[in-house]
PDB file of all heavy atoms in Angstrom:
ATOM      1  N   VAL F   2       0.476  -2.090   8.989  1.00 92.00           N
ATOM      2  CA  VAL F   2      -1.058  -1.971   9.168  1.00 92.00           C
ATOM      3  C   VAL F   2      -1.299  -1.652  10.654  1.00 92.00           C
ATOM      4  O   VAL F   2      -0.655  -2.234  11.475  1.00 92.00           O
ATOM      5  CB  VAL F   2      -1.840  -3.263   8.667  1.00 92.00           C
ATOM      6  CG1 VAL F   2      -1.626  -3.458   7.259  1.00 92.00           C
ATOM      7  CG2 VAL F   2      -1.409  -4.410   9.475  1.00 92.00           C
ATOM      8  N   SER F   3      -2.293  -0.763  10.754  1.00 91.00           N
ATOM      9  CA  SER F   3      -2.721  -0.421  12.201  1.00 91.00           C
ATOM     10  C   SER F   3      -3.810  -1.446  12.593  1.00 91.00           C
ATOM     11  O   SER F   3      -4.260  -2.366  11.972  1.00 91.00           O
ATOM     12  CB  SER F   3      -3.178   0.964  12.200  1.00 91.00           C
ATOM     13  OG  SER F   3      -4.386   1.006  11.398  1.00 91.00           O
ATOM     14  N   GLU F   4      -4.215  -1.255  13.874  1.00 91.00           N
ATOM     15  CA  GLU F   4      -5.304  -1.950  14.388  1.00 91.00           C
ATOM     16  C   GLU F   4      -6.618  -1.937  13.614  1.00 91.00           C
ATOM     17  O   GLU F   4      -7.359  -2.847  13.611  1.00 91.00           O
ATOM     18  CB  GLU F   4      -5.592  -1.697  15.819  1.00 91.00           C
ATOM     19  CG  GLU F   4      -4.401  -1.994  16.874  1.00 91.00           C
ATOM     20  CD  GLU F   4      -4.785  -1.735  18.284  1.00 91.00           C
ATOM     21  OE1 GLU F   4      -5.944  -1.033  18.467  1.00 91.00           O
ATOM     22  OE2 GLU F   4      -3.927  -1.901  19.147  1.00 91.00           O
ATOM     23  N   SER F   5      -6.748  -0.798  12.971  1.00 87.00           N
ATOM     24  CA  SER F   5      -8.036  -0.666  12.169  1.00 87.00           C
ATOM     25  C   SER F   5      -7.715  -0.850  10.632  1.00 87.00           C
ATOM     26  O   SER F   5      -8.503  -0.535   9.827  1.00 87.00           O
ATOM     27  CB  SER F   5      -8.546   0.873  12.362  1.00 87.00           C
ATOM     28  OG  SER F   5      -7.452   1.763  12.048  1.00 87.00           O
ATOM     29  N   ALA F   6      -6.690  -1.569  10.346  1.00 88.00           N
ATOM     30  CA  ALA F   6      -6.353  -1.992   9.042  1.00 88.00           C
ATOM     31  C   ALA F   6      -5.839  -0.866   8.083  1.00 88.00           C
ATOM     32  O   ALA F   6      -5.920  -1.137   6.862  1.00 88.00           O
ATOM     33  CB  ALA F   6      -7.514  -2.791   8.400  1.00 88.00           C
ATOM     34  N   HIS F   7      -5.469   0.249   8.591  1.00 87.00           N
ATOM     35  CA  HIS F   7      -4.975   1.327   7.834  1.00 87.00           C
ATOM     36  C   HIS F   7      -3.551   0.984   7.308  1.00 87.00           C
ATOM     37  O   HIS F   7      -2.698   0.604   8.096  1.00 87.00           O
ATOM     38  CB  HIS F   7      -4.792   2.658   8.597  1.00 87.00           C
ATOM     39  CG  HIS F   7      -4.298   3.833   7.790  1.00 87.00           C
ATOM     40  ND1 HIS F   7      -4.997   4.391   6.747  1.00 87.00           N
ATOM     41  CD2 HIS F   7      -3.146   4.386   7.910  1.00 87.00           C
ATOM     42  CE1 HIS F   7      -4.230   5.301   6.227  1.00 87.00           C
ATOM     43  NE2 HIS F   7      -3.099   5.321   6.926  1.00 87.00           N
ATOM     44  N   ILE F   8      -3.240   1.145   6.029  1.00 89.00           N
ATOM     45  CA  ILE F   8      -2.018   0.878   5.425  1.00 89.00           C
ATOM     46  C   ILE F   8      -1.106   2.050   5.399  1.00 89.00           C
ATOM     47  O   ILE F   8      -1.525   3.205   4.806  1.00 89.00           O
ATOM     48  CB  ILE F   8      -2.214   0.238   4.036  1.00 89.00           C
ATOM     49  CG1 ILE F   8      -2.956  -1.115   4.079  1.00 89.00           C
ATOM     50  CG2 ILE F   8      -0.956   0.125   3.249  1.00 89.00           C
ATOM     51  CD1 ILE F   8      -3.384  -1.604   2.716  1.00 89.00           C
ATOM     52  N   SER F   9       0.228   2.007   5.776  1.00 90.00           N
ATOM     53  CA  SER F   9       1.181   2.938   5.635  1.00 90.00           C
ATOM     54  C   SER F   9       2.462   2.330   5.189  1.00 90.00           C
ATOM     55  O   SER F   9       2.995   1.364   5.601  1.00 90.00           O
ATOM     56  CB  SER F   9       1.452   3.656   6.871  1.00 90.00           C
ATOM     57  OG  SER F   9       1.890   2.751   7.960  1.00 90.00           O
ATOM     58  N   LEU F  10       2.998   2.805   3.980  1.00 93.00           N
ATOM     59  CA  LEU F  10       4.102   2.284   3.300  1.00 93.00           C
ATOM     60  C   LEU F  10       5.341   2.206   4.251  1.00 93.00           C
ATOM     61  O   LEU F  10       5.644   3.220   4.906  1.00 93.00           O
ATOM     62  CB  LEU F  10       4.449   2.982   2.005  1.00 93.00           C
ATOM     63  CG  LEU F  10       3.414   2.830   0.864  1.00 93.00           C
ATOM     64  CD1 LEU F  10       3.795   3.708  -0.282  1.00 93.00           C
ATOM     65  CD2 LEU F  10       3.277   1.447   0.484  1.00 93.00           C
ATOM     66  N   THR F  11       6.188   1.250   4.173  1.00 94.00           N
ATOM     67  CA  THR F  11       7.486   1.349   4.940  1.00 94.00           C
ATOM     68  C   THR F  11       8.400   2.175   4.305  1.00 94.00           C
ATOM     69  O   THR F  11       8.326   2.579   3.114  1.00 94.00           O
ATOM     70  CB  THR F  11       8.068  -0.137   4.942  1.00 94.00           C
ATOM     71  OG1 THR F  11       8.275  -0.657   3.570  1.00 94.00           O
ATOM     72  CG2 THR F  11       7.045  -1.180   5.649  1.00 94.00           C
ATOM     73  N   GLU F  12       9.491   2.506   4.957  1.00 93.00           N
ATOM     74  CA  GLU F  12      10.518   3.460   4.438  1.00 93.00           C
ATOM     75  C   GLU F  12      11.042   2.938   3.162  1.00 93.00           C
ATOM     76  O   GLU F  12      11.404   3.674   2.304  1.00 93.00           O
ATOM     77  CB  GLU F  12      11.566   3.716   5.522  1.00 93.00           C
ATOM     78  CG  GLU F  12      12.692   4.681   5.087  1.00 93.00           C
ATOM     79  CD  GLU F  12      13.717   4.848   6.091  1.00 93.00           C
ATOM     80  OE1 GLU F  12      13.455   4.397   7.267  1.00 93.00           O
ATOM     81  OE2 GLU F  12      14.689   5.537   5.925  1.00 93.00           O
ATOM     82  N   GLN F  13      11.238   1.595   3.027  1.00 95.00           N
ATOM     83  CA  GLN F  13      11.880   0.899   1.906  1.00 95.00           C
ATOM     84  C   GLN F  13      11.014   1.224   0.582  1.00 95.00           C
ATOM     85  O   GLN F  13      11.570   1.319  -0.483  1.00 95.00           O
ATOM     86  CB  GLN F  13      11.941  -0.559   2.089  1.00 95.00           C
ATOM     87  CG  GLN F  13      12.853  -1.232   0.990  1.00 95.00           C
ATOM     88  CD  GLN F  13      13.014  -2.799   1.446  1.00 95.00           C
ATOM     89  OE1 GLN F  13      12.121  -3.319   1.909  1.00 95.00           O
ATOM     90  NE2 GLN F  13      14.162  -3.315   1.094  1.00 95.00           N
ATOM     91  N   PHE F  14       9.717   1.355   0.792  1.00 95.00           N
ATOM     92  CA  PHE F  14       8.828   1.427  -0.480  1.00 95.00           C
ATOM     93  C   PHE F  14       8.219   2.833  -0.627  1.00 95.00           C
ATOM     94  O   PHE F  14       7.442   3.091  -1.408  1.00 95.00           O
ATOM     95  CB  PHE F  14       7.800   0.291  -0.433  1.00 95.00           C
ATOM     96  CG  PHE F  14       8.383  -1.004  -0.643  1.00 95.00           C
ATOM     97  CD1 PHE F  14       8.861  -1.793   0.264  1.00 95.00           C
ATOM     98  CD2 PHE F  14       8.439  -1.461  -2.020  1.00 95.00           C
ATOM     99  CE1 PHE F  14       9.368  -3.068  -0.066  1.00 95.00           C
ATOM    100  CE2 PHE F  14       8.992  -2.652  -2.320  1.00 95.00           C
ATOM    101  CZ  PHE F  14       9.424  -3.535  -1.285  1.00 95.00           C
ATOM    102  N   ALA F  15       8.342   3.722   0.398  1.00 89.00           N
ATOM    103  CA  ALA F  15       7.560   4.997   0.404  1.00 89.00           C
ATOM    104  C   ALA F  15       7.878   5.917  -0.762  1.00 89.00           C
ATOM    105  O   ALA F  15       7.008   6.760  -1.058  1.00 89.00           O
ATOM    106  CB  ALA F  15       7.882   5.704   1.687  1.00 89.00           C
ATOM    107  N   SER F  16       8.989   5.798  -1.413  1.00 88.00           N
ATOM    108  CA  SER F  16       9.291   6.692  -2.441  1.00 88.00           C
ATOM    109  C   SER F  16       8.705   6.254  -3.887  1.00 88.00           C
ATOM    110  O   SER F  16       8.920   7.049  -4.821  1.00 88.00           O
ATOM    111  CB  SER F  16      10.865   6.870  -2.628  1.00 88.00           C
ATOM    112  OG  SER F  16      11.411   5.508  -2.964  1.00 88.00           O
ATOM    113  N   TYR F  17       8.161   5.136  -3.997  1.00 91.00           N
ATOM    114  CA  TYR F  17       7.661   4.585  -5.269  1.00 91.00           C
ATOM    115  C   TYR F  17       6.306   5.187  -5.568  1.00 91.00           C
ATOM    116  O   TYR F  17       5.462   5.213  -4.654  1.00 91.00           O
ATOM    117  CB  TYR F  17       7.734   3.053  -5.398  1.00 91.00           C
ATOM    118  CG  TYR F  17       9.154   2.519  -5.329  1.00 91.00           C
ATOM    119  CD1 TYR F  17       9.557   1.908  -4.235  1.00 91.00           C
ATOM    120  CD2 TYR F  17      10.016   2.681  -6.332  1.00 91.00           C
ATOM    121  CE1 TYR F  17      10.782   1.235  -4.244  1.00 91.00           C
ATOM    122  CE2 TYR F  17      11.300   2.259  -6.348  1.00 91.00           C
ATOM    123  CZ  TYR F  17      11.742   1.505  -5.213  1.00 91.00           C
ATOM    124  OH  TYR F  17      13.043   1.030  -5.130  1.00 91.00           O
ATOM    125  N   PRO F  18       5.949   5.511  -6.862  1.00 90.00           N
ATOM    126  CA  PRO F  18       4.780   6.073  -7.166  1.00 90.00           C
ATOM    127  C   PRO F  18       3.655   5.034  -7.375  1.00 90.00           C
ATOM    128  O   PRO F  18       3.200   4.756  -8.433  1.00 90.00           O
ATOM    129  CB  PRO F  18       5.009   6.703  -8.501  1.00 90.00           C
ATOM    130  CG  PRO F  18       6.101   5.897  -9.185  1.00 90.00           C
ATOM    131  CD  PRO F  18       6.989   5.389  -7.969  1.00 90.00           C
ATOM    132  N   ILE F  19       3.236   4.429  -6.222  1.00 90.00           N
ATOM    133  CA  ILE F  19       2.177   3.315  -6.214  1.00 90.00           C
ATOM    134  C   ILE F  19       0.946   3.675  -5.494  1.00 90.00           C
ATOM    135  O   ILE F  19       1.022   4.519  -4.580  1.00 90.00           O
ATOM    136  CB  ILE F  19       2.792   2.023  -5.621  1.00 90.00           C
ATOM    137  CG1 ILE F  19       3.429   2.322  -4.255  1.00 90.00           C
ATOM    138  CG2 ILE F  19       3.929   1.630  -6.585  1.00 90.00           C
ATOM    139  CD1 ILE F  19       3.868   0.999  -3.645  1.00 90.00           C
ATOM    140  N   GLU F  20      -0.188   3.137  -5.770  1.00 87.00           N
ATOM    141  CA  GLU F  20      -1.431   3.180  -5.066  1.00 87.00           C
ATOM    142  C   GLU F  20      -1.678   1.915  -4.237  1.00 87.00           C
ATOM    143  O   GLU F  20      -1.483   0.822  -4.778  1.00 87.00           O
ATOM    144  CB  GLU F  20      -2.612   3.417  -6.109  1.00 87.00           C
ATOM    145  CG  GLU F  20      -2.635   4.735  -6.861  1.00 87.00           C
ATOM    146  CD  GLU F  20      -3.842   4.932  -7.708  1.00 87.00           C
ATOM    147  OE1 GLU F  20      -3.781   4.360  -8.785  1.00 87.00           O
ATOM    148  OE2 GLU F  20      -4.801   5.501  -7.304  1.00 87.00           O
ATOM    149  N   THR F  21      -2.191   2.151  -3.152  1.00 87.00           N
ATOM    150  CA  THR F  21      -2.581   0.915  -2.243  1.00 87.00           C
ATOM    151  C   THR F  21      -3.962   1.055  -1.715  1.00 87.00           C
ATOM    152  O   THR F  21      -4.469   0.242  -1.033  1.00 87.00           O
ATOM    153  CB  THR F  21      -1.676   0.888  -1.001  1.00 87.00           C
ATOM    154  OG1 THR F  21      -1.741   2.089  -0.236  1.00 87.00           O
ATOM    155  CG2 THR F  21      -0.298   0.653  -1.390  1.00 87.00           C
ATOM    156  N   GLU F  22      -4.764   2.073  -2.193  1.00 82.00           N
ATOM    157  CA  GLU F  22      -6.066   2.369  -1.641  1.00 82.00           C
ATOM    158  C   GLU F  22      -7.071   2.009  -2.665  1.00 82.00           C
ATOM    159  O   GLU F  22      -6.908   2.190  -3.926  1.00 82.00           O
ATOM    160  CB  GLU F  22      -6.254   3.768  -1.274  1.00 82.00           C
ATOM    161  CG  GLU F  22      -5.495   4.364  -0.167  1.00 82.00           C
ATOM    162  CD  GLU F  22      -5.875   3.816   1.231  1.00 82.00           C
ATOM    163  OE1 GLU F  22      -7.031   3.237   1.280  1.00 82.00           O
ATOM    164  OE2 GLU F  22      -5.045   3.839   2.097  1.00 82.00           O
ATOM    165  N   GLY F  23      -8.105   1.210  -2.275  1.00 81.00           N
ATOM    166  CA  GLY F  23      -9.298   0.886  -3.125  1.00 81.00           C
ATOM    167  C   GLY F  23      -8.933  -0.014  -4.279  1.00 81.00           C
ATOM    168  O   GLY F  23      -9.583   0.060  -5.359  1.00 81.00           O
ATOM    169  N   LEU F  24      -8.073  -0.904  -4.100  1.00 87.00           N
ATOM    170  CA  LEU F  24      -7.588  -1.782  -5.169  1.00 87.00           C
ATOM    171  C   LEU F  24      -8.485  -3.032  -5.180  1.00 87.00           C
ATOM    172  O   LEU F  24      -8.842  -3.611  -4.136  1.00 87.00           O
ATOM    173  CB  LEU F  24      -6.184  -2.194  -5.074  1.00 87.00           C
ATOM    174  CG  LEU F  24      -5.106  -1.149  -5.061  1.00 87.00           C
ATOM    175  CD1 LEU F  24      -3.688  -1.652  -5.008  1.00 87.00           C
ATOM    176  CD2 LEU F  24      -5.245  -0.259  -6.367  1.00 87.00           C
ATOM    177  N   ASP F  25      -8.834  -3.545  -6.341  1.00 88.00           N
ATOM    178  CA  ASP F  25      -9.549  -4.784  -6.543  1.00 88.00           C
ATOM    179  C   ASP F  25      -8.476  -5.918  -6.841  1.00 88.00           C
ATOM    180  O   ASP F  25      -7.252  -5.636  -6.749  1.00 88.00           O
ATOM    181  CB  ASP F  25     -10.588  -4.749  -7.569  1.00 88.00           C
ATOM    182  CG  ASP F  25     -10.026  -4.365  -8.935  1.00 88.00           C
ATOM    183  OD1 ASP F  25      -8.724  -4.427  -9.138  1.00 88.00           O
ATOM    184  OD2 ASP F  25     -10.762  -3.971  -9.835  1.00 88.00           O
ATOM    185  N   GLN F  26      -8.969  -7.106  -7.114  1.00 90.00           N
ATOM    186  CA  GLN F  26      -7.917  -8.278  -7.304  1.00 90.00           C
ATOM    187  C   GLN F  26      -6.992  -7.977  -8.370  1.00 90.00           C
ATOM    188  O   GLN F  26      -5.727  -8.001  -8.227  1.00 90.00           O
ATOM    189  CB  GLN F  26      -8.714  -9.515  -7.522  1.00 90.00           C
ATOM    190  CG  GLN F  26      -7.801 -10.732  -7.751  1.00 90.00           C
ATOM    191  CD  GLN F  26      -8.538 -12.049  -7.924  1.00 90.00           C
ATOM    192  OE1 GLN F  26      -9.680 -12.036  -7.886  1.00 90.00           O
ATOM    193  NE2 GLN F  26      -7.888 -13.100  -8.021  1.00 90.00           N
ATOM    194  N   LYS F  27      -7.488  -7.303  -9.475  1.00 91.00           N
ATOM    195  CA  LYS F  27      -6.573  -7.026 -10.589  1.00 91.00           C
ATOM    196  C   LYS F  27      -5.614  -5.889 -10.105  1.00 91.00           C
ATOM    197  O   LYS F  27      -4.481  -5.871 -10.575  1.00 91.00           O
ATOM    198  CB  LYS F  27      -7.442  -6.428 -11.745  1.00 91.00           C
ATOM    199  CG  LYS F  27      -6.630  -6.117 -13.096  1.00 91.00           C
ATOM    200  CD  LYS F  27      -7.657  -5.780 -14.212  1.00 91.00           C
ATOM    201  CE  LYS F  27      -6.890  -5.473 -15.445  1.00 91.00           C
ATOM    202  NZ  LYS F  27      -6.287  -4.108 -15.396  1.00 91.00           N
ATOM    203  N   GLY F  28      -6.106  -4.942  -9.438  1.00 92.00           N
ATOM    204  CA  GLY F  28      -5.225  -3.917  -8.901  1.00 92.00           C
ATOM    205  C   GLY F  28      -4.074  -4.380  -8.061  1.00 92.00           C
ATOM    206  O   GLY F  28      -2.979  -3.903  -8.201  1.00 92.00           O
ATOM    207  N   TRP F  29      -4.395  -5.339  -7.154  1.00 94.00           N
ATOM    208  CA  TRP F  29      -3.279  -5.906  -6.345  1.00 94.00           C
ATOM    209  C   TRP F  29      -2.313  -6.695  -7.225  1.00 94.00           C
ATOM    210  O   TRP F  29      -1.130  -6.598  -6.964  1.00 94.00           O
ATOM    211  CB  TRP F  29      -3.807  -6.864  -5.329  1.00 94.00           C
ATOM    212  CG  TRP F  29      -4.626  -6.224  -4.187  1.00 94.00           C
ATOM    213  CD1 TRP F  29      -6.048  -6.259  -3.882  1.00 94.00           C
ATOM    214  CD2 TRP F  29      -4.075  -5.231  -3.329  1.00 94.00           C
ATOM    215  NE1 TRP F  29      -6.180  -5.389  -2.849  1.00 94.00           N
ATOM    216  CE2 TRP F  29      -5.080  -4.719  -2.396  1.00 94.00           C
ATOM    217  CE3 TRP F  29      -2.762  -4.762  -3.003  1.00 94.00           C
ATOM    218  CZ2 TRP F  29      -4.919  -3.916  -1.304  1.00 94.00           C
ATOM    219  CZ3 TRP F  29      -2.544  -3.871  -1.977  1.00 94.00           C
ATOM    220  CH2 TRP F  29      -3.589  -3.368  -1.183  1.00 94.00           C
TER     221      TRP F  29
END
């Protein structure tokens, strides 16, 4: 995460087809 809370996947997880933007509690 950046200072402004921007999320960027680590190399270990970057290849998986997942969403991390706009998730609610159920989405997480």
Side-chain angles (χ1 to χ4, degrees):
V2 296
S3 66
E4 293 182 357
S5 56
H7 177 72
I8 294 174
S9 57
L10 293 176
T11 61
E12 183 177 353
Q13 190 177 35
F14 288 91
S16 63
Y17 293 112
I19 56 175
E20 290 183 280
T21 59
E22 298 287 344
L24 300 183
D25 56 14
Q26 183 177 359
K27 181 174 181 287
W29 287 116

